[in-house]
């Protein structure tokens, strides 16, 4: 599945959507915890890039449940903080009059 995802043609119209979909599917494979952490980080980054923040935050929460190393956990906490700050700003129109 991962090799298929990497071999997708980059010039197709729905490349990013298909890439995100395959990354999300890959997180549900029965993998060892260290490999699951890698797939969750990859899926989180891909979904964040296409502005699918809610799904990316669910991958971040799943990653934190696995107990990653401190530097990885710090990156995930930073992502979650930025997501919730963005959500707060959009709902309260904090920056947008």
């Amino acid at each position: 599945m991962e090799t298929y995802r990497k071999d997708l043609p980059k010039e197709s119209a729905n490349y990013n959507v298909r890439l995100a979909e395959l990354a999300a599917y890959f997180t549900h494979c029965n993998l060892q915890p260290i490999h699951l952490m890698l797939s969750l980080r990859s899926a989180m980054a891909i979904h964040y890039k296409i502005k699918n923040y809610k799904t990316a935050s669910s991958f971040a929460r799943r990653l934190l449940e696995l107990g990653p190393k401190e530097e990885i956990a710090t990156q995930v906490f930073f992502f979650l903080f930025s997501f919730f700050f963005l959500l707060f700003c959009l709902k309260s129109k904090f920056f947008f009059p």
Side-chain angles (χ1 to χ4, degrees):
M1 190 180 314
E2 186 68 11
T3 56
Y4 175 75
R5 181 182 72 84
K6 291 189 182 255
D7 290 340
L8 281 174
K10 295 185 181 186
E11 56 272 348
S12 65
N14 60 351
Y15 170 74
N16 288 333
V17 174
R18 183 70 177 151
L19 189 72
E21 182 181 18
L22 288 171
Y25 285 146
F26 194 64
T27 62
H28 291 286
C29 293
N30 190 12
L31 301 171
Q32 294 178 355
I34 189 70
H35 297 114
L36 183 58
M37 284 186 212
L38 289 172
S39 66
L40 286 169
R41 285 181 71 190
S42 174
M44 183 182 74
I46 291 169
H47 281 267
Y48 184 79
K49 285 179 186 175
I50 64 168
K51 297 181 171 76
N52 192 354
Y53 300 120
K54 191 165 189 165
T55 307
S57 67
S58 72
F59 291 134
R61 283 192 205 109
R62 284 180 58 197
L63 180 60
L64 288 175
E65 288 173 359
L66 292 174
K69 292 182 181 177
E70 186 176 340
E71 61 269 4
I72 295 171
T74 304
Q75 291 172 352
V76 174
F77 279 126
F78 176 74
F79 163 75
L80 285 174
F81 175 77
S82 64
F83 167 71
F84 287 116
F85 182 73
L86 177 68
L87 188 65
F88 168 75
C89 291
L90 290 175
K91 284 190 176 187
S92 66
K93 299 187 185 329
F94 186 67
F95 287 112
F96 309 107

